[in-house]
């Protein structure tokens, strides 16, 4: 295929059906900026535009229409062949890998999942969302084999594998909040808003204090106190409270991009805070070979690692 990646073809076909970058991203479990990136790469390989984009609409070019019509049966046939091969390999090899994740499946994690499934077709991969308030508990209790969690991780019983998705931090605020119209805010200005924290049922929950403070600090870099807001168990709870102007919530940029189409919330970049990072963790006494294979997949899609 001249170097064309199947993910680019998949993104184009989904976009051809939806004619909307946001909805295409939701179906593919990636941000709309990632859909644009995949489309640009495909158009660069072909040498001509496949999609016309304006502020009002998205439509296929004449070349895009004919390409989509020709591509669809070939793509469906290829996917059917892959599915048959994976089913046969799964029947022969067996195995399940349970992966926990917090919040959303970002681009790096989606790419790692795709690479793992290509390299380990006989393994069934199960994704489980784990609560913000208990990032390490599911691994400790062996409810999942490994988990992608927000850093830092300082637990003696856990192994920190590849670190990835280093992202600038953003602040989710109500569209009515004074910060909503700002292009950015400084870390010192966090002293002027209530930060939504991590907890369960109004209590801190099982997450260690150092981890909770990393997600919702109580001091600015210059040690000004930051007012504490409500505690939430999940990302969706936090976004709902931010939309209702009950507080502001710190998020990485990729999560903000994923939820950026919500009109009730503004996502404002924060200057002067350490970036957000994700890490893959597993238990020292429970290390399935498939977890190590997934760690290699994560490394394989992480630039510069």
């Amino acid at each position: 295929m001249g170097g064309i990646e199947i993910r680019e073809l998949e993104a184009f076909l989904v976009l051809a059906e939806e004619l909307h970058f946001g909805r295409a991203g939701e179906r593919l479990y990636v941000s709309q900026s990632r859909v644009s990136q995949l489309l640009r790469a495909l158009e660069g390989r072909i040498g001509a535009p496949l999609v016309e984009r304006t502020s009002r609409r998205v439509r296929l070019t004449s070349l895009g229409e004919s390409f989509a019509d020709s591509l669809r049966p070939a793509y469906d046939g290829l996917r059917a062949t892959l599915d048959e091969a994976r089913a046969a390999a799964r029947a022969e090899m067996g195995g399940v890998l349970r992966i926990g994740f917090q919040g959303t499946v970002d681009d790096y994690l989606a790419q790692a999942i795709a690479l793992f499934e290509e390299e380990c077709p006989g393994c069934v991969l199960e994704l489980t969302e784990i609560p913000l308030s208990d990032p390490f508990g599911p691994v400790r209790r062996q409810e999942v084999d490994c988990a992608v969690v927000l850093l830092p991780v300082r637990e003696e019983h856990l192994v920190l594998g590849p670190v990835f998705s280093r992202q600038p931090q953003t602040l989710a605020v109500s569209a009515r909040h004074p910060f909503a119209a700002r292009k950015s805010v400084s870390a010192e200005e966090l002293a002027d808003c209530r930060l939504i924290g991590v907890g369960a049922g109004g209590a801190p929950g099982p997450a260690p204090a150092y981890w909770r403070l990393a997600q919702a600090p109580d001091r600015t870099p210059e040690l000004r106190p930051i007012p504490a807001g409500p505690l939430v168990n999940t990302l969706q709870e936090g976004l709902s409270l931010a939309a209702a102007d009950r507080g502001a919530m710190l998020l990485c940029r990729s999560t903000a991009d994923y939820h950026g189409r919500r009109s009730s919330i503004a996502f404002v970049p924060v200057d002067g805070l350490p970036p957000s990072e994700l890490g893959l963790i597993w238990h020292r006494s429970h290390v399935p070979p498939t977890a190590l294979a997934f760690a290699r997949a994560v490394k394989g899609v992480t630039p510069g690692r």
Side-chain angles (χ1 to χ4, degrees):
M1 291 188 181
I4 292 178
E5 297 181 3
I6 194 170
R7 193 64 165 165
E8 297 170 5
L9 301 177
E10 182 180 29
F12 168 68
L13 288 174
V14 171
L15 183 61
E17 293 176 2
E18 297 290 346
L19 296 180
H20 189 281
F21 281 84
R23 290 194 297 269
E26 289 179 358
R27 281 182 55 182
L28 295 164
Y29 299 101
V30 300
S31 64
Q32 63 183 54
S33 61
R34 177 59 178 162
V35 178
S36 297
Q37 182 184 16
L38 291 167
L39 177 64
R40 286 195 301 270
L42 180 59
E43 290 176 328
R45 298 179 197 280
I46 289 175
L50 299 172
V51 174
E52 291 180 353
R53 288 154 282 191
T54 68
S55 58
R56 291 188 172 185
R57 62 183 300 186
V58 175
R59 68 178 184 180
L60 299 180
T61 64
S62 57
L63 175 61
E65 290 179 354
S66 62
F67 182 57
D69 290 341
S70 299
L71 176 61
R72 172 59 69 185
Y75 176 82
D76 289 345
L78 175 60
R79 289 306 299 261
T81 301
L82 287 173
D83 289 343
E84 290 174 5
R86 285 171 177 164
R90 191 175 296 127
E92 291 181 6
M93 298 177 60
V96 175
L97 175 63
R98 303 166 300 167
I99 302 176
F101 71 96
Q102 290 184 296
T104 59
V105 176
D106 75 351
D107 289 346
Y108 288 116
L109 182 53
Q111 292 173 45
I113 290 170
L115 179 58
F116 174 82
E117 290 180 333
E118 289 178 10
E119 296 183 347
C120 300
C123 183
V124 177
L125 192 150
E126 295 180 353
L127 284 173
T128 301
E129 184 174 2
I130 58 180
L132 287 178
S133 60
D134 191 16
F136 309 134
V139 177
R140 184 177 63 251
R141 296 186 295 270
Q142 296 186 17
E143 297 167 357
V144 295
D145 300 307
C146 57
V148 175
V149 298
L150 289 161
L151 298 189
V153 177
R154 302 173 188 160
E155 309 303 291
E156 292 185 358
H157 63 285
L158 298 179
V159 176
L160 176 60
V163 173
F164 63 104
S165 196
R166 198 168 192 260
Q167 300 274 343
Q169 300 223 46
T170 63
L171 189 68
V173 296
S174 166
R176 307 189 303 273
H177 194 281
F179 287 169
R182 298 274 297 276
K183 291 184 177 179
S184 66
V185 297
S186 71
E188 292 304 312
E189 290 178 289
L190 295 179
D192 300 325
C193 65
R194 298 172 68 220
L195 270 191
I196 294 171
V198 178
Y210 74 83
W211 190 90
R212 286 186 277 109
L213 278 175
Q215 315 315 320
D218 61 358
R219 292 285 189 275
T220 70
E222 294 183 7
L223 302 183
R224 295 176 63 197
I226 299 175
L231 301 179
V232 297
N233 187 47
T234 68
L235 173 62
Q236 291 301 326
E237 287 179 19
L239 291 173
S240 297
L241 289 177
D245 204 17
R246 298 295 187 268
M249 189 174 189
L250 286 172
L251 303 168
C252 66
R253 187 174 63 188
S254 61
T255 300
D257 289 344
Y258 183 83
H259 294 278
R261 62 187 181 89
R262 297 176 61 151
S263 60
S264 58
I265 301 178
F267 297 94
V268 187
V270 181
D271 299 324
L273 285 182
S276 171
E277 291 183 297
L278 296 176
L280 182 68
I281 61 171
W282 55 84
H283 201 285
R284 289 191 182 277
S285 63
H286 176 69
V287 193
T290 47
L292 300 181
F294 185 72
R296 290 192 294 271
V298 171
K299 290 181 180 179
V301 301
T302 304
R305 299 282 181 183

PDB file of all heavy atoms in Angstrom, residues 2 16 21 25 50-51 164 242 289:
ATOM      1  N   GLY A   2       2.102   1.165  -0.355  1.00  0.00           N
ATOM      2  CA  GLY A   2       2.922   2.366  -0.447  1.00  0.00           C
ATOM      3  C   GLY A   2       3.120   3.062   0.881  1.00  0.00           C
ATOM      4  O   GLY A   2       3.222   4.279   0.938  1.00  0.00           O
ATOM      5  N   ALA A  16     -15.820   9.687   6.278  1.00  0.00           N
ATOM      6  CA  ALA A  16     -16.686   9.718   5.099  1.00  0.00           C
ATOM      7  C   ALA A  16     -18.127   9.405   5.470  1.00  0.00           C
ATOM      8  O   ALA A  16     -19.067   9.901   4.841  1.00  0.00           O
ATOM      9  CB  ALA A  16     -16.171   8.730   4.047  1.00  0.00           C
ATOM     10  N   PHE A  21     -15.706  15.719  12.218  1.00  0.00           N
ATOM     11  CA  PHE A  21     -14.466  15.257  12.830  1.00  0.00           C
ATOM     12  C   PHE A  21     -14.681  14.833  14.278  1.00  0.00           C
ATOM     13  O   PHE A  21     -14.075  13.867  14.744  1.00  0.00           O
ATOM     14  CB  PHE A  21     -13.402  16.355  12.749  1.00  0.00           C
ATOM     15  CG  PHE A  21     -12.742  16.460  11.409  1.00  0.00           C
ATOM     16  CD1 PHE A  21     -13.325  17.196  10.386  1.00  0.00           C
ATOM     17  CD2 PHE A  21     -11.551  15.814  11.147  1.00  0.00           C
ATOM     18  CE1 PHE A  21     -12.729  17.295   9.139  1.00  0.00           C
ATOM     19  CE2 PHE A  21     -10.938  15.889   9.909  1.00  0.00           C
ATOM     20  CZ  PHE A  21     -11.534  16.631   8.899  1.00  0.00           C
ATOM     21  N   GLY A  25     -14.036  11.063  15.650  1.00  0.00           N
ATOM     22  CA  GLY A  25     -13.115  10.810  16.755  1.00  0.00           C
ATOM     23  C   GLY A  25     -13.741   9.975  17.855  1.00  0.00           C
ATOM     24  O   GLY A  25     -13.087   9.096  18.430  1.00  0.00           O
ATOM     25  N   LEU A  50      -8.857  14.785  -0.076  1.00  0.00           N
ATOM     26  CA  LEU A  50      -9.986  13.852  -0.098  1.00  0.00           C
ATOM     27  C   LEU A  50     -11.231  14.447   0.553  1.00  0.00           C
ATOM     28  O   LEU A  50     -12.347  13.986   0.308  1.00  0.00           O
ATOM     29  CB  LEU A  50      -9.620  12.562   0.639  1.00  0.00           C
ATOM     30  CG  LEU A  50      -8.440  11.767   0.071  1.00  0.00           C
ATOM     31  CD1 LEU A  50      -8.079  10.633   1.019  1.00  0.00           C
ATOM     32  CD2 LEU A  50      -8.750  11.239  -1.309  1.00  0.00           C
ATOM     33  N   VAL A  51     -11.017  15.469   1.373  1.00  0.00           N
ATOM     34  CA  VAL A  51     -12.106  16.081   2.135  1.00  0.00           C
ATOM     35  C   VAL A  51     -11.993  17.592   2.052  1.00  0.00           C
ATOM     36  O   VAL A  51     -10.891  18.150   2.117  1.00  0.00           O
ATOM     37  CB  VAL A  51     -12.052  15.633   3.618  1.00  0.00           C
ATOM     38  CG1 VAL A  51     -13.097  16.370   4.448  1.00  0.00           C
ATOM     39  CG2 VAL A  51     -12.250  14.136   3.729  1.00  0.00           C
ATOM     40  N   PHE A 164       4.380   7.780  29.424  1.00  0.00           N
ATOM     41  CA  PHE A 164       4.043   8.322  28.104  1.00  0.00           C
ATOM     42  C   PHE A 164       2.993   9.420  28.246  1.00  0.00           C
ATOM     43  O   PHE A 164       2.578   9.776  29.352  1.00  0.00           O
ATOM     44  CB  PHE A 164       3.549   7.212  27.179  1.00  0.00           C
ATOM     45  CG  PHE A 164       2.277   6.537  27.625  1.00  0.00           C
ATOM     46  CD1 PHE A 164       1.067   6.807  27.009  1.00  0.00           C
ATOM     47  CD2 PHE A 164       2.298   5.625  28.677  1.00  0.00           C
ATOM     48  CE1 PHE A 164      -0.095   6.190  27.426  1.00  0.00           C
ATOM     49  CE2 PHE A 164       1.139   4.998  29.098  1.00  0.00           C
ATOM     50  CZ  PHE A 164      -0.062   5.284  28.473  1.00  0.00           C
ATOM     51  N   ALA A 242     -17.692  20.984  37.297  1.00  0.00           N
ATOM     52  CA  ALA A 242     -17.074  22.153  36.665  1.00  0.00           C
ATOM     53  C   ALA A 242     -18.097  22.886  35.798  1.00  0.00           C
ATOM     54  O   ALA A 242     -18.170  24.126  35.814  1.00  0.00           O
ATOM     55  CB  ALA A 242     -15.873  21.724  35.833  1.00  0.00           C
ATOM     56  N   PRO A 289       2.861 -12.465  31.216  1.00  0.00           N
ATOM     57  CA  PRO A 289       3.660 -12.137  30.025  1.00  0.00           C
ATOM     58  C   PRO A 289       2.954 -11.182  29.079  1.00  0.00           C
ATOM     59  O   PRO A 289       3.586 -10.363  28.430  1.00  0.00           O
ATOM     60  CB  PRO A 289       3.877 -13.512  29.375  1.00  0.00           C
ATOM     61  CG  PRO A 289       3.732 -14.499  30.493  1.00  0.00           C
ATOM     62  CD  PRO A 289       2.712 -13.918  31.413  1.00  0.00           C
TER      63      PRO A 289
END
